[in-house]
Amino acid sequence: MSMVDKLSVASLAILLLAGCPPKQPAGSPVDQPVDAGVDQAAGEDGASSPVAEPPEQRVQGLLSEAEEAVQAREPARLQPILEEMQGLARQFPDVAALHYDIGVVYEALNDRLNARKAYLRATDLDPSLAKAWLNLGALAEESGDLERAWRAYEAGRSHAPDDPDLVVGQIGVLRKQGRTEEAIALARQALGQNANNIGAYNNLGLVYLDQGNVDLANFIYQKALNSIEGADSNAYLHCNLGRVYKAMDKEYLAQQEFDRALQLDPELVAAMLFLGDARLDNHDWEGAAELLERARDLEPDNPAILVNLGIAYRGLGRFEEAAALYKRALELDPGNPDPYLNLAVLQGDHMRAYDAALASVDAYLAAGGTRTELAAQWRADLEKSREKYERELERKRRRAEREKQREEEARLAAEHEARQAAIRAAAEAALGQACPAEGCPELTVCNRAGVCAEPGSPGTAGMGDACSSDDDCVAGLGCGADAVCVEQAAPGAAEETEAAPGAAEETEAA
């Protein structure tokens, strides 16, 4: 499939799978499609003049290079390709297909405005170029201008009434506008004209699915698969049938169809989203993240992908990344405030940032969120959770303080025990050793013999301690008459005391 066909189908996917998250709208409005009824290359007599054709081989080569650049996600390679195509367009200004191809490259560069201009130029030159009208309509749908999209498809059908994709585009617009009965009627009319129009089947089934008529939607898809040759190879049919099975609570069958759709088209983002959603429901966070990361690589600015990937990251504990994805989704689609609620869940239930969670709920309401009762209930729950969390924090703080006090007491006790052990060791080492000048260590005393000994052992009784003999007392003390250690008299003191009676005789003689 050429790049031209591939991008045309990619644009058409928006119509076939409306109801799956759409691409992000472009900012510039669509120019009014030109209903050019006269070929500008015609001569004065109305006969068509020959149109010089660019070298087809070179144009196809440029398109192949552009396709490779898009697949490799290297947009810088597209600019020189575009410039060469524009050079060819200046040489061959009246070739509609060349202007169409330029529009395709502009779309690959995300330059919607110039893409529209190129498609409009192509339709000026060849009003029957259906794929140019188709892409104009798809661009209008992306911008949210369904009326302009309808006019583009209608203008295309007026020049290419047998093109099946243009009527599919109109069916999709009617469905998006909620005009389901008109969409059904137009789909049936298209199938009456072409019973093999798979796009009409796709949209008709989706209309019935929108109406809640899942049995009829299932019938439509089964009929298409069973009656149209090659329909089993249509990824969109399988993806939409998967949606029907999902609505019927047949999850296993739904997953089979989504898997089949991805086998047929590995880049079908809608199927990735539905499969990712199923994995999220099953709390298969890793599986969902792997699938949604692939989808994000294909459509990095799709808010639905970012929100679901954020949920997967939340389940994996990658909270900061999840918050960044929610915020990016809000930037891309400010009109949808729902990601604020995802932020509130993340911040409140998982990050315990209750003030931030309450602010997210308030931001949801301020941005026009309509689920006011839910928001009010969440706010009340968050405030209760915050109070409970604060009480829990206070209990933890007190427990921590008590634990810290116990640890400090244990530390002091350990230090005391270490000091006591050191004292005991020093005392044990000093036993039987000569008493040092500074005295024996704690738990020992210098005994009568001048060596360090245990208190209470012979020769260690101090002043006033009980004794039975002088040997019980420390050096310098003796056992007194009261059986307690007292200071011993100096050796000359007894002689002086014994001489005292002679003094009395001298007194009497006098």
Side-chain angles (χ1 to χ4, degrees):
M1 181 182 288
S2 71
M3 182 182 180
V4 174
D5 296 331
K6 184 171 288 188
L7 290 189
S8 297
V9 171
S11 299
L12 183 60
I14 302 170
L15 312 178
L16 298 180
L17 287 169
C20 301
K23 294 180 180 179
Q24 288 307 297
S28 305
V30 179
D31 297 327
Q32 178 68 32
V34 178
D35 188 5
V38 179
D39 191 330
Q40 294 184 10
E44 292 181 358
D45 58 357
S48 297
S49 302
V51 177
E53 293 286 344
E56 181 178 352
Q57 186 175 359
R58 181 55 189 149
V59 173
Q60 289 302 319
L62 288 170
L63 289 174
S64 296
E65 291 176 28
E67 182 175 357
E68 290 175 5
V70 169
Q71 291 178 343
R73 294 175 179 80
E74 298 176 357
R77 292 170 52 189
L78 292 171
Q79 192 61 42
I81 295 171
L82 175 64
E83 291 172 359
E84 186 170 349
M85 281 188 169
Q86 289 171 328
L88 289 172
R90 286 190 291 271
Q91 295 179 44
F92 307 96
D94 298 327
V95 178
L98 187 54
H99 289 280
Y100 171 83
D101 293 338
I102 290 173
V104 169
V105 178
Y106 270 127
E107 273 207 76
L109 286 166
N110 290 321
D111 187 344
R112 273 27 179 199
L113 179 59
N114 281 314
R116 291 186 188 99
K117 290 179 179 179
Y119 293 144
L120 285 169
R121 178 59 180 154
T123 59
D124 285 346
L125 294 169
D126 183 3
S128 65
L129 190 60
K131 56 188 177 183
W133 293 111
L134 185 68
N135 282 10
L136 281 169
L139 286 173
E141 284 195 67
E142 286 186 35
S143 71
D145 193 340
L146 297 180
E147 289 297 330
R148 182 163 291 173
W150 175 271
R151 291 195 296 270
Y153 297 137
E154 185 67 20
R157 289 188 69 196
S158 69
H159 297 289
D162 296 328
D163 187 87
D165 293 335
L166 289 168
V167 69
V168 168
Q170 287 186 304
I171 297 168
V173 169
L174 291 172
R175 177 173 168 263
K176 288 182 178 180
Q177 292 175 328
R179 297 158 64 181
T180 55
E181 294 303 324
E182 294 174 72
I184 291 171
L186 186 57
R188 287 176 174 171
Q189 178 185 339
L191 289 172
Q193 296 171 348
N194 180 3
N196 294 326
N197 189 335
I198 293 179
Y201 275 107
N202 261 317
N203 273 279
L204 182 57
L206 287 176
V207 172
Y208 288 134
L209 190 58
D210 290 343
Q211 291 180 333
N213 195 339
V214 292
D215 291 331
L216 193 50
N218 184 36
F219 170 78
I220 291 295
Y221 293 129
Q222 298 292 353
K223 181 178 180 181
L225 288 168
N226 293 324
S227 63
I228 301 176
E229 184 177 355
D232 188 56
S233 298
N234 186 283
Y236 302 108
L237 269 178
H238 287 284
C239 185
N240 288 336
L241 181 57
R243 291 189 59 190
V244 171
Y245 284 141
K246 187 174 179 65
M248 299 170 76
D249 293 327
K250 297 180 178 180
E251 295 294 338
Y252 178 73
L253 293 177
Q255 183 164 331
Q256 281 188 321
E257 294 301 322
F258 295 139
D259 285 334
R260 174 64 175 154
L262 280 179
Q263 289 173 2
L264 294 168
D265 184 356
E267 296 188 352
L268 186 56
V269 169
M272 294 179 193
L273 276 169
F274 284 116
L275 273 177
D277 185 59
R279 292 179 183 180
L280 291 176
D281 287 343
N282 292 326
H283 292 185
D284 179 8
W285 310 121
E286 288 189 9
E290 182 273 330
L291 200 59
L292 293 167
E293 284 170 347
R294 285 170 50 195
R296 180 188 57 184
D297 290 342
L298 293 166
E299 294 186 15
D301 293 335
N302 186 324
I305 295 173
L306 300 183
V307 168
N308 284 1
L309 182 55
I311 295 171
Y313 282 169
R314 185 192 74 195
L316 291 170
R318 297 162 64 176
F319 299 147
E320 296 299 333
E321 292 173 88
L325 288 171
Y326 296 148
K327 291 173 183 177
R328 178 59 179 158
L330 288 166
E331 291 173 1
L332 291 168
D333 188 6
N336 178 16
D338 285 349
Y340 280 118
L341 296 181
N342 293 86
L343 265 175
V345 171
L346 174 68
Q347 293 162 336
D349 291 351
H350 299 272
M351 301 176 75
R352 300 288 186 93
Y354 292 106
D355 290 338
L358 289 167
S360 294
V361 173
D362 292 341
Y364 168 78
L365 295 172
T370 57
R371 301 157 74 180
T372 54
E373 290 185 6
L374 176 65
Q377 182 60 52
W378 280 21
R379 167 167 269 286
D381 291 343
L382 284 168
E383 288 175 345
K384 289 180 181 177
S385 296
R386 180 175 62 179
E387 293 174 2
K388 180 180 179 181
Y389 181 58
E390 288 174 350
R391 290 195 300 269
E392 180 183 341
L393 286 179
E394 179 62 19
R395 286 194 298 270
K396 287 183 177 179
R397 186 189 64 79
R398 292 177 180 175
R399 282 198 300 269
E401 285 184 354
R402 290 194 297 269
E403 182 63 25
K404 184 177 180 181
Q405 183 177 357
R406 283 194 295 268
E407 290 175 356
E408 179 66 12
E409 291 172 353
R411 184 186 67 80
L412 293 174
E415 290 180 355
H416 175 73
E417 178 57 31
R419 285 195 300 271
Q420 293 303 310
I423 290 171
R424 288 193 297 271
E428 185 175 348
L431 291 176
Q433 303 296 318
C435 300
E438 66 273 16
C440 293
E442 284 188 63
L443 303 183
T444 63
V445 293
C446 189
N447 67 8
R448 193 176 188 87
V451 296
C452 294
E454 293 181 356
S457 62
T460 61
M463 178 70 72
D465 292 340
C467 60
S468 59
S469 68
D470 290 344
D471 291 338
D472 291 337
C473 299
V474 297
L477 298 182
C479 192
D482 295 331
V484 295
C485 292
V486 295
E487 288 185 358
Q488 282 185 330
E495 296 175 1
E496 292 177 358
T497 304
E498 291 173 357
E505 294 176 0
E506 290 176 2
T507 302
E508 292 175 358

